Amino acid sequence: MAPDSSRSHRGRTAARGTARLLAAAGLVLDAYVHARLAGRYDGVTATISQGLLFRIEAALAALAAVLVLVWRRPAADTFAWLVATGGLALLLLYTYVDIGAPGPLPDMYEPGWSADKKPAALAQAVASLATAFLLLTRTRGLARQRR
C-alpha cells in the first residue's frame, strides 16, 4: 500500500469510528430521555399509551446503539438509521402537526420545544446523520460486488 493510500485508509477508519461513536452517543441520549419521560406519559392513552411508546423507543434506541458499536454491519447501521430518523420524524410531526389519535395511538401533539425535547431531537439528528455517513461510505461490500 502506498503511503498516501495508507494515510487515506487511516483517515477513513478514524472518520467511520467517530461516526459510530456519535451515532451510539445520540442513540443512548435518545434512549435515556425517552425512558426517563415514559412514566409522565402513561396517562396519555388510546389503545396504547404514549408512555409505552416512549419505552419502546428507548429500547429500540438502546439496542441500535449497541448494534452500531458491536456488530458493525450494514443491517445494524440501517436499523440505527431507521430508529434515529424515525424518532426524529415523529418528534417533529407531533411538534408541528396535530394529527389527532390515529387508530390505536394516542393524540401525542405537543407544540413547542421543552427542555427534554431539544436534546432528544439533537441526539436523533446526530445519530441519523452519523449512521447515514456510515451507510454512504461503506466500501467493503461494494468491492466484493465488483469482483
Side-chain angles (χ1 to χ4, degrees):
M1 206 182 270
D4 285 340
S5 156
S6 175
R7 201 171 318 140
S8 173
H9 178 71
R10 281 195 307 267
R12 181 182 193 79
T13 300
R16 287 182 56 79
T18 300
R20 286 199 183 285
L21 291 174
L22 285 171
L27 289 160
V28 165
L29 180 57
D30 178 33
Y32 169 76
V33 169
H34 280 87
R36 189 171 57 79
L37 295 177
R40 289 188 203 170
Y41 290 96
D42 282 335
V44 181
T45 64
T47 303
I48 300 170
S49 79
Q50 188 171 348
L52 175 61
L53 294 172
F54 271 38
R55 287 180 185 89
I56 291 169
E57 170 68 16
L60 291 173
L63 176 61
V66 170
L67 290 176
V68 82
L69 285 175
V70 176
W71 196 26
R72 297 182 177 216
R73 299 283 186 271
D77 297 342
T78 301
F79 176 71
W81 181 84
L82 288 168
V83 169
T85 305
L88 180 60
L90 289 171
L91 184 147
L92 293 172
L93 175 70
Y94 283 110
T95 298
Y96 294 112
V97 181
D98 186 357
I99 62 171
L105 301 177
D107 184 356
M108 297 187 286
Y109 179 61
E110 190 175 295
W113 288 89
S114 68
D116 292 313
K117 194 183 283 189
K118 289 176 188 177
L122 179 61
Q124 290 168 329
V126 167
S128 181
L129 291 171
T131 52
F133 173 81
L134 291 170
L135 291 166
L136 293 172
T137 60
R138 184 155 182 86
T139 58
R140 187 178 302 160
L142 294 175
R144 285 183 193 152
Q145 290 174 359
R146 289 183 187 147
R147 288 184 194 164

